[in-house]
Amino acid sequence: SLASLREELELQGVWDNTVVVVASEFARTLVANGGAGVDHAWGGHMFVAGGAVKGGQIFGEFPSLEDPDLEVGDRGRLLP
C-alpha cells in the first residue's frame, strides 16, 4: 500500500525526492443499471504524494448538479 511505499522510501532516504501521482479517468454512474450494478462513467480522480509535496489542498470544484449548464446524461453520467 502507499503507507508501506512511503515507509520504505523514508528508510532509503529518498522520500523527499519522490513524487507519487495516482490518476484515473474511471468513475461509475450515479444510478444503477438493470442488473442492480452501476456502469462506467467519466471521472477525473487524482492525488499527489511525496516528501516535498505541500498537501492539504484541493484544486478545482465538483460541479453542482443544480448547475443549468451541466450536462447530465442518462443514469447520472456527468458529461465532459
Side-chain angles (χ1 to χ4, degrees):
S1 102
L2 291 172
S4 297
L5 175 64
R6 177 183 177 163
E7 183 179 328
E8 179 60 32
L9 292 174
E10 286 175 333
L11 288 172
Q12 293 184 29
V14 295
W15 175 244
D16 288 341
N17 298 320
T18 301
V19 176
V20 178
V21 178
V22 178
S24 175
E25 79 292 344
F26 182 80
R28 293 290 186 172
T29 56
L30 302 176
V31 180
N33 61 26
V38 291
D39 293 324
H40 294 240
W42 291 274
H45 321 305
M46 64 177 9
F47 70 88
V48 178
V53 173
K54 295 178 181 170
Q57 302 176 64
I58 297 176
F59 297 95
E61 296 179 15
F62 189 80
S64 168
L65 296 177
E66 297 176 12
D67 183 344
D69 295 325
L70 179 65
E71 186 176 350
V72 180
D74 65 322
R75 298 192 12 254
R77 288 184 177 97
L78 302 179
L79 302 177

